[in-house]
Amino acid sequence: MAPRTTVNSFWQGLFESQPKIVETINRSGFYDLDASMIKERHIEPRIACKLDFRGHVPKSLSDQNLSVLAIRNGVYRIAKTDPFLDINPSLFTDEDPIEMSEFSVPAHIQVLAGGGYSSESKALDAAHISGMLDWVFGESVELVLRGREYSREFHFSLPRLPERLQTVEYEIGNVQIEVDGGYEGRNGLYLVEVKSVVENNMNLRQLLYPQLHYQNYVVKGKPVHTFILFYESCTGLYHFVPFVLENAETQGIFKFDFSQYRRARIAPSVDEQIDYWEEIKSLPAVPGFADTKVPFPQADEFAKILDSFRLLGDSEPITLYDLFTKYDLTPRQHDYYWNVLRWLRLAERRSEGLVLTDYGRNLNRLADKALLFELAEKIFSESVPNSLLGGRDPGSRDWKPYSLAQNTQERRIQSIRAWIRFFERNLSQR
């Protein structure tokens, strides 16, 4: 069996062995790469070309301002364009002055009662039956589509980098598209792309392709609107932002309209109104649970740790790439986040792939609030996190199991401080 090729080595090797690719791009504006050419180098096209975030783009592409977008089934256009949409995560924090609206699931619906949904589809279903989507869209709607299909033909353009004075044309056809939820009312069709973690950018392909397909071929006489929804299962908060496209065929102006940002949540159950954070703040240091044979945590975003844990529970066994590809993380950071799951004894690697431990499977049955409380108890009973939680600098005895240099300790401290902010935000009753 041929050795597996990494994304970085694939693109570097491709450009080195095929200089005609960059020559064609510089001359004609783009080069169309066939999937068969990718497979020859022992890597699957879905891995080599699925660049959902800027952090996924290999250096050999980013250094030349190159992007990759699917244009047909098994064909990818390489061009000097920027297909990423910027997002400011600070817009979605509790400190944002945007007013939050609250909705309730009908009393006779027990499956979706209380909020804190661990799956994106459940979060969308609750938003629908509670009337939240009617409020966001401005009219009564019904669920009409969900899932994957292949697109019809459509066209758009993107400015050519770096000057942006010319455009690169994209003629799309028979490309797989996916919609998390599509809702239709008398006045429009509304497409929703759900993300369980807020990133600072995303590839416009996930929003633009379904938008153009449905507005050109499916819906007549009414507009199609697309929204990005960031759903926080821990807090139960929904963040809706409309996606706007102007002059798609000639200038390629695509953006989020943050002026129309809306925030809402499903009313929490009685159990979720308990202030768990007060109990966590008084925890004594009782180390011994964490696996000190695993590197001390160096992953700042606990929302991604929680989300990847849930994903692993739904998809085990799974590869490291498939577990973390949905996030804006580099391959090196995949190891950082995977090691946190190991450090907490939630997951392990077996011959068939990454799986949950028995302890992890037991925790995966808990609702998010109860899961967070259980994890917080384990984390903040460990010496270093407990010291930082109490406002103290960890001492040499606290660090002894890890043998870290002083400058490395400082970087790890920043990760734990980020965790403290996350748990306080999600376990406090406000």
Side-chain angles (χ1 to χ4, degrees):
M1 178 181 294
R4 179 180 176 274
T5 305
T6 66
V7 175
N8 286 326
S9 61
F10 163 74
W11 286 105
Q12 182 178 348
L14 181 69
F15 291 140
E16 289 175 352
S17 64
Q18 301 288 336
K20 68 175 183 179
I21 293 178
V22 174
E23 293 171 4
T24 302
I25 293 171
N26 289 335
R27 182 178 65 254
S28 305
F30 63 85
Y31 180 90
D32 291 343
L33 181 66
D34 191 86
S36 61
M37 194 171 178
I38 301 172
K39 293 178 180 178
E40 288 175 357
R41 295 176 175 270
H42 312 298
I43 188 170
E44 287 299 315
R46 71 174 185 91
I47 295 178
C49 300
K50 191 176 185 296
L51 308 177
D52 288 344
F53 305 98
R54 285 196 178 94
H56 290 177
V57 180
K59 191 173 186 297
S60 52
L61 286 169
S62 60
D63 283 353
Q64 302 179 81
N65 289 323
L66 294 177
S67 66
V68 182
L69 287 172
I71 60 168
R72 293 188 298 280
N73 186 22
V75 181
Y76 302 86
R77 180 155 293 177
I78 309 172
K80 291 191 174 184
T81 59
D82 179 12
F84 296 99
L85 300 167
D86 290 320
I87 302 164
N88 183 357
S90 65
L91 292 173
F92 309 110
T93 64
D94 286 343
E95 289 72 30
D96 192 283
I98 298 294
E99 181 179 352
M100 181 183 68
S101 295
E102 194 167 273
F103 296 83
S104 298
V105 171
H108 66 282
I109 302 295
Q110 299 181 35
V111 173
L112 297 174
Y117 311 110
S118 58
S119 76
E120 296 169 354
S121 59
K122 282 186 177 180
L124 262 182
D125 290 341
H128 183 206
I129 66 172
S130 69
M132 184 188 299
L133 295 185
D134 295 350
W135 168 73
V136 173
F137 304 149
E139 65 168 319
S140 178
V141 296
E142 297 297 338
L143 176 66
V144 293
L145 61 96
R146 174 176 284 171
R148 298 174 181 174
E149 65 177 286
Y150 283 90
S151 73
R152 300 276 294 277
E153 295 181 356
F154 56 84
H155 171 261
F156 66 92
S157 66
L158 291 176
R160 185 174 176 179
L161 301 177
E163 296 87 0
R164 297 178 178 268
L165 299 177
Q166 298 175 300
T167 60
V168 175
E169 310 304 313
Y170 291 86
E171 303 84 13
I172 311 298
N174 197 35
V175 171
Q176 189 177 82
I177 58 175
E178 182 173 7
V179 174
D180 292 327
Y183 305 85
E184 189 169 358
R186 293 183 180 275
N187 301 315
L189 175 68
Y190 307 88
L191 309 178
V192 182
E193 172 72 19
V194 188
K195 298 293 184 186
S196 53
V197 176
V198 179
E199 302 286 7
N200 61 16
N201 71 89
M202 66 178 292
N203 196 307
L204 61 81
R205 179 197 69 247
Q206 301 168 68
L207 305 172
L208 180 63
Y209 284 25
Q211 166 89 31
L212 293 177
H213 168 73
Y214 285 104
Q215 78 176 24
N216 289 352
Y217 294 103
V218 180
V219 179
K220 303 299 181 184
K222 63 176 72 172
V224 176
H225 306 276
T226 298
F227 289 76
I228 182 74
L229 163 60
F230 296 105
Y231 172 69
E232 300 179 52
S233 61
C234 300
T235 61
L237 289 178
Y238 290 74
H239 308 276
F240 293 90
V241 184
F243 169 65
V244 179
L245 57 159
E246 302 171 359
N247 304 319
E249 293 189 356
T250 57
Q251 297 180 29
I253 301 175
F254 311 113
K255 61 184 178 181
F256 290 117
D257 184 1
F258 290 104
S259 68
Q260 299 299 313
Y261 160 54
R262 291 197 172 188
R263 172 189 293 170
R265 71 168 179 170
I266 301 295
S269 64
V270 174
D271 290 344
E272 291 181 315
Q273 296 177 32
I274 300 171
D275 195 327
Y276 294 98
W277 185 241
E278 285 299 318
E279 187 170 340
I280 295 299
K281 289 194 299 184
S282 61
L283 282 174
V286 187
F289 172 78
D291 187 349
T292 56
K293 295 178 182 177
V294 176
F296 189 85
Q298 51 184 326
D300 292 354
E301 299 179 69
F302 205 88
K304 290 179 180 175
I305 296 166
L306 178 67
D307 194 60
S308 60
F309 169 69
R310 291 297 199 193
L311 176 59
L312 181 55
D314 291 339
S315 309
E316 61 176 340
I318 194 173
T319 66
L320 189 68
Y321 171 85
D322 287 331
L323 182 59
F324 293 108
T325 188
K326 65 180 289 190
Y327 313 115
D328 188 13
L329 297 173
T330 64
R332 183 175 64 177
Q333 290 173 314
H334 292 179
D335 286 326
Y336 296 166
Y337 282 81
W338 166 241
N339 282 335
V340 174
L341 297 179
R342 294 175 58 216
W343 185 75
L344 287 168
R345 302 184 187 274
L346 298 173
E348 60 188 354
R349 189 189 301 270
R350 294 182 182 171
S351 58
E352 64 270 27
L354 311 183
V355 298
L356 294 180
T357 60
D358 290 341
Y359 172 68
R361 290 192 186 94
N362 288 333
L363 260 61
N364 194 38
R365 299 187 182 100
L366 300 177
D368 275 339
K369 215 72 164 186
L371 170 61
L372 278 181
F373 181 67
E374 170 79 15
L375 294 178
E377 280 191 312
K378 294 294 190 290
I379 291 167
F380 295 110
S381 293
E382 295 296 316
S383 296
V384 173
N386 187 271
S387 295
L388 293 169
L389 181 65
R392 305 180 303 275
D393 291 332
S396 57
R397 181 177 297 180
D398 299 322
W399 288 109
K400 188 174 180 180
Y402 301 100
S403 302
L404 297 176
Q406 182 66 39
N407 61 338
T408 305
Q409 292 176 15
E410 291 301 320
R411 293 197 297 272
R412 304 299 182 267
I413 284 173
Q414 296 309 310
S415 292
I416 299 302
R417 284 180 173 154
W419 290 11
I420 291 172
R421 293 191 293 271
F422 173 85
F423 280 102
E424 180 176 14
R425 179 183 176 215
N426 288 287
L427 291 178
S428 293
Q429 178 56 39
R430 300 184 179 182

